[in-house]
Amino acid sequence: MFSKGTKRKFSDGGEAISDESLLGARVASSYSLQRQSLLDMSLIKLQLCHMLVEPNLCRSVLIANTVRQIQEEMTHDGSWHMVTEAFCSAGQSPSERLVATEVLCRSREQDAEPKLFSVISYEGCREEEVVADETLCSVSVSNTVSNVCLAGRMGQCWEKSELSGVERDEEVLEDSRLGSGEDEEIATEDGASTESPKTIGQVFGTFEIKNGSPGPDSALEELFSDVDTSYYDLDTMLTGMQSAPKMGPYDLLDSLAPSHSSPSIVSTPNCRSDLNELDHIMEIIVGS
Amino acid sequence: CCCGCFGLCCDTVQWCFLSICTSDIISTVEFNCSGELLATGDKGGRVVIFQREQESKNRLLSRGEYNVYSTFQSHEPEFDYLKSLEIEEKINKIRWLPQQNAAHFLLSANDKTIKLWKISERDKRAEGYNLKDEDGRLRDQFRITTLRVPVLMPMDLMVEASPRRIFANAHTYHINSISVNSDYETYLSADDLRINLWHLEITDRSFNIVDIKPANMEELTEVITAAECHPHQCNVFVYSSSKGTIRLCDTRAAALCDRHSKFFEEPEDPSSRSFFSEIISSISDVKFSHSGRYMMTRDYLSVKVWDLNMENRPVETYQVHEYLRSKLCSLYENDCIFDKFECCWNGSDSAIMTGSYNNFFRMFDRNTRRDITLEASRENSKPRAMLKPRKVCTGGKRKKDEISVDSLDFNKKILHTAWHPKENVIAVAATNNLYIFQDKIN
């Protein structure tokens, strides 16, 4: 009766409204998922800042400020409270999120279709010391972390070679990790829905977009088609951090710049892990 | 240039390739005050100085090439065994002192230590010593029967670099800037949280003139990113921050210049606010114009020119690579968003230059408002080859010779560029290659 593009009449108002509100909800939930993804990414960066080839206080401060901004906004939204509850209660279940981050580049007023392209999943990760009133939450990786992956995909056309040098080193480590078939990565770049069912299934479990607000199929395909698992291999690094003391992000800043006159440069990864092992051995010997 | 000005105001300025030199990853590039010497510092702690060939009188229109003049190891890696901390030897900054005698002096800084180097030429040596042979062995005293006066004989030119001062142990954080004062007696050095003022003759103490370290490090939200002395007023300096602000300070006002005389900040555009707004507003470089009336700041996406008399906004803003604004998330993921690009003025302050990705660098003519994108690549490295302007396609149909945003190589970044103080000769550091371009004379 009505040609395409004709404005709907009032009789269709009910449907129109629910469609609009559905669209609004979808955008809002994807925004919050993307925001969460950015928060996760930032926390990981903060945790690993000492792994950089060149330690950079400016970078850490900027990342910490970003985390604070996100946390403030989430507190304002009331969504921070829900997040902390979820984390505090779910001690054992992995908290995984499948989010996109690109829309965070744009302001909230824009309601363009978000491009979903970033996958972050923690397995066996436990968030501790999450306090709503604190400016930042700290993420401490427990001993049960066996296979944490941060697969980031930065857009359709970005090649693997354009990743930073840090990630390139991690590609070497990835091979050893992929060898253990138990927790398969989203390793292939083709075939959207045929990836390792375990990982995808876990991911789907908390993927609100799929359940609540059906996104277009193309978005989902895009999500899984080109996931680049070589982006971050945190496995070896995070297992190296098992014996690291729990610390908040500003403790990291502290470690970068102790109050005494010692230099603010951080150690090479080898030295740090050696020292941690030494500490661990000493603890056993002393029996503390 | 036929009208006697520099920069791009005339279409006759055509940039062409002059020379290239390969080394370790170049971390700083700086012409000396006359432009005769060009110094580069690299990640391995080495300094390489190039000297311009004297122009041949027969070929008045030819320009001299830059050849290696001196190479020396400025800084060595240090390892603090007690804390298991390594201090990189990478040269963060080189600054030349104005030449006052036959020798040249420069300051080179790594993360922790600043050194004053003297570079001098030796083209004569003494011969005919009484007490030792030509090869240096002591002569048997009983064989010395006559006394002679040693004579100076010409020898092959030797360029020697010797460290004259070492300014150490004054910085807890990484040094990001050094700047020689116009009094030629003092200089400042800045790290993430503090700025110190040194006297060139005194190495065992310095004055702390800015300290933004909070009592509780958990409250740290802003760091110093760059600092520079005013080119003419020896009591004035500026420093930029990671929040996109510039503070101008007067050392006559107080011993500790924590309170600024002027505060430069552009109000944020609320419509473009995102979680990355602060990061991209972080200033990576600040440079006074030669006139001392303006200063230029580089943030992630743009270059801004400020009039020192107007604090509330810049007088000019130039977009370097605005097409990256929609990619900020990705650039945050791969850390490119934290890249620190430098910027520079030409000799007459009519043009400015800064680097970008894909080995592109950009020049902006302040008078005509025209800009150009050029590429430092091996393919354009034939002698006297003219550089072709490049263009990034931001959307829609890609024209021939254009490159699309998604094809840019973000590992090829030009962070360091320098412009000859008097002529249209530029030095561009593309990772481990130093390109020198000059304009072709018509």
Side-chain angles (χ1 to χ4, degrees), chain A residues 63-81:
Chain A
I63 296 172
N65 289 351
T66 306
V67 171
R68 186 190 299 109
Q69 278 180 52
I70 297 173
Q71 191 270 344
E72 278 173 9
E73 192 181 278
M74 288 172 82
T75 307
H76 202 290
D77 282 350
S79 47
W80 184 250
H81 187 57

Side-chain angles (χ1 to χ4, degrees), chain B residues 106-170:
Chain B
L106 60 79
L107 288 168
S108 67
N110 73 343
D111 284 337
K112 282 293 175 244
T113 306
I114 305 140
K115 294 187 183 180
L116 176 68
W117 288 89
K118 176 180 177 186
I119 296 106
S120 50
E121 293 182 3
R122 186 195 293 234
D123 60 355
K124 296 180 186 53
R125 66 157 189 263
E127 280 179 19
Y129 284 103
N130 288 292
L131 297 177
K132 56 182 179 176
D133 287 339
E134 294 310 318
D135 49 4
R137 282 183 306 179
L138 288 175
R139 286 172 76 188
D140 189 2
Q141 288 189 0
F142 297 106
R143 292 173 181 257
I144 302 172
T145 54
T146 61
L147 203 60
R148 58 185 177 177
V149 177
V151 291
L152 289 174
M153 302 294 291
M155 59 177 260
D156 289 340
L157 178 67
M158 202 166 72
V159 181
E160 295 174 325
S162 57
R164 307 303 288 181
R165 304 272 186 278
I166 296 179
F167 306 91
N169 301 322

Side-chain angles (χ1 to χ4, degrees), chain B residues 299-349:
Chain B
D299 52 71
Y300 190 63
L301 296 179
S302 67
V303 180
K304 295 177 181 168
V305 175
W306 302 77
D307 186 322
L308 293 187
N309 297 318
M310 187 159 74
E311 300 168 53
N312 58 352
R313 62 177 174 83
V315 291
E316 295 155 31
T317 301
Y318 301 94
Q319 301 300 335
V320 180
H321 37 219
E322 181 68 12
Y323 45 79
L324 296 183
R325 192 179 287 272
S326 59
K327 310 275 184 197
L328 292 178
C329 263
S330 317
L331 295 164
Y332 179 73
E333 275 190 275
N334 67 4
D335 274 357
C336 280
I337 206 173
F338 302 108
D339 285 336
K340 294 197 161 98
F341 291 95
E342 293 173 7
C343 52
C344 59
W345 299 85
N346 72 338
S348 62
D349 297 337

Side-chain angles (χ1 to χ4, degrees), chain B residues 18-283:
Chain B
L18 187 57
S19 63
I20 182 177
C21 174
T22 302
S23 72
D24 202 345
I25 296 176
I26 298 168
S27 49
T28 184
V29 184
E30 186 83 355
F31 281 99
N32 76 336
C33 308
S34 65
E36 182 210 352
L37 298 177
L38 173 65
T40 63
D42 67 24
K43 201 156 168 272
R46 276 193 329 162
V47 171
V48 180
I49 301 178
F50 299 85
Q51 184 190 41
R52 200 170 199 194
E53 258 179 30
Q54 297 298 327
E55 289 180 28
S56 163
K57 287 193 172 53
N58 297 331
R59 300 182 297 160
L60 281 171
L61 296 180
S62 78
R63 299 288 183 85
E65 298 208 354
Y66 281 85
N67 301 315
V68 176
Y69 176 66
S70 171
T71 303
F72 57 93
Q73 187 74 31
S74 171
H75 286 72
E76 299 277 358
E78 292 170 44
F79 194 78
D80 183 336
Y81 291 93
L82 279 177
K83 301 184 191 74
S84 291
L85 298 176
E86 188 176 339
I87 299 167
E88 268 199 308
E89 68 273 31
K90 173 168 74 93
I91 309 291
N92 293 331
K93 281 289 186 302
I94 288 175
R95 288 289 182 262
W96 290 93
L97 266 58
Q99 191 175 12
Q100 289 172 316
N101 53 34
H104 295 98
F105 289 86
L106 60 79
L107 288 168
S108 67
N110 73 343
D111 284 337
K112 282 293 175 244
T113 306
I114 305 140
K115 294 187 183 180
L116 176 68
W117 288 89
K118 176 180 177 186
I119 296 106
S120 50
E121 293 182 3
R122 186 195 293 234
D123 60 355
K124 296 180 186 53
R125 66 157 189 263
E127 280 179 19
Y129 284 103
N130 288 292
L131 297 177
K132 56 182 179 176
D133 287 339
E134 294 310 318
D135 49 4
R137 282 183 306 179
L138 288 175
R139 286 172 76 188
D140 189 2
Q141 288 189 0
F142 297 106
R143 292 173 181 257
I144 302 172
T145 54
T146 61
L147 203 60
R148 58 185 177 177
V149 177
V151 291
L152 289 174
M153 302 294 291
M155 59 177 260
D156 289 340
L157 178 67
M158 202 166 72
V159 181
E160 295 174 325
S162 57
R164 307 303 288 181
R165 304 272 186 278
I166 296 179
F167 306 91
N169 301 322
H171 285 281
T172 310
Y173 304 95
H174 294 201
I175 297 174
N176 53 51
S177 311
I178 50 175
S179 181
V180 181
N181 211 345
S182 52
D183 61 10
Y184 302 159
E185 285 185 352
T186 58
Y187 74 95
L188 64 76
S189 60
D191 65 30
D192 294 316
L193 297 179
R194 297 193 178 97
I195 301 180
N196 294 329
L197 186 68
W198 301 83
H199 193 285
L200 284 164
E201 299 293 327
I202 299 168
T203 60
D204 60 355
R205 60 180 179 275
S206 64
F207 289 103
N208 175 244
I209 53 177
V210 173
D211 188 339
I212 64 168
K213 181 176 185 228
N216 184 358
M217 278 299 278
E218 288 196 6
E219 294 162 7
L220 179 65
T221 59
E222 190 173 11
V223 300
I224 297 169
T225 52
E228 197 178 47
C229 292
H230 191 278
H232 309 309
Q233 298 169 35
C234 58
N235 55 298
V236 171
F237 68 95
V238 292
Y239 68 94
S240 59
S241 83
S242 56
K243 287 198 171 174
T245 65
I246 309 103
R247 289 170 175 82
L248 184 143
C249 300
D250 188 333
T251 51
R252 296 172 305 187
L256 191 61
C257 299
D258 279 355
R259 293 177 59 186
H260 51 263
S261 301
K262 294 194 184 184
F263 183 79
F264 298 83
E265 185 179 28
E266 183 169 26
E268 193 186 1
D269 176 13
S271 66
S272 64
R273 170 129 191 97
S274 74
F275 286 117
F276 304 107
S277 295
E278 181 183 316
I279 298 177
I280 62 169
S281 75
S282 174
I283 291 172

Side-chain angles (χ1 to χ4, degrees), chain A residues 38-183:
Chain A
L38 184 65
L39 177 65
D40 295 336
M41 191 192 338
S42 306
L43 292 170
I44 294 276
K45 280 181 184 291
L46 279 180
Q47 287 280 332
L48 297 180
C49 65
H50 64 279
M51 297 281 189
L52 282 183
V53 175
E54 291 176 26
N56 192 336
L57 180 62
C58 181
R59 175 181 173 274
S60 299
V61 168
L62 289 171
I63 296 172
N65 289 351
T66 306
V67 171
R68 186 190 299 109
Q69 278 180 52
I70 297 173
Q71 191 270 344
E72 278 173 9
E73 192 181 278
M74 288 172 82
T75 307
H76 202 290
D77 282 350
S79 47
W80 184 250
H81 187 57
M82 294 188 317
V83 163
T84 59
E85 271 186 3
F87 290 151
C88 291
S89 59
Q92 48 278 41
S93 64
S95 61
E96 294 156 301
R97 269 157 247 111
L98 188 66
V99 295
T101 56
E102 202 269 341
V103 81
L104 290 167
C105 303
R106 310 195 285 265
S107 59
R108 292 187 76 173
E109 285 75 35
Q110 296 182 26
D111 55 358
E113 182 71 34
K115 255 194 300 192
L116 308 171
F117 66 90
S118 179
V119 177
I120 300 174
S121 75
Y122 300 122
E123 292 176 45
C125 155
R126 202 176 48 188
E127 284 207 41
E128 300 174 53
E129 295 181 0
V130 173
V131 180
D133 292 336
E134 294 288 304
T135 52
L136 289 168
C137 67
S138 68
V139 176
S140 164
V141 179
S142 70
N143 288 344
T144 59
V145 168
S146 57
N147 199 2
V148 177
C149 75
L150 179 72
R153 191 194 146 247
M154 297 171 292
Q156 284 269 334
C157 306
W158 286 48
E159 298 301 320
K160 226 163 138 175
S161 59
E162 290 171 1
L163 299 175
S164 72
V166 175
E167 299 144 44
R168 242 195 274 268
D169 293 336
E170 293 152 32
E171 280 177 34
V172 176
L173 304 171
E174 182 202 336
D175 291 339
S176 56
R177 182 170 61 84
L178 283 176
S180 67
E182 187 184 0
D183 293 304

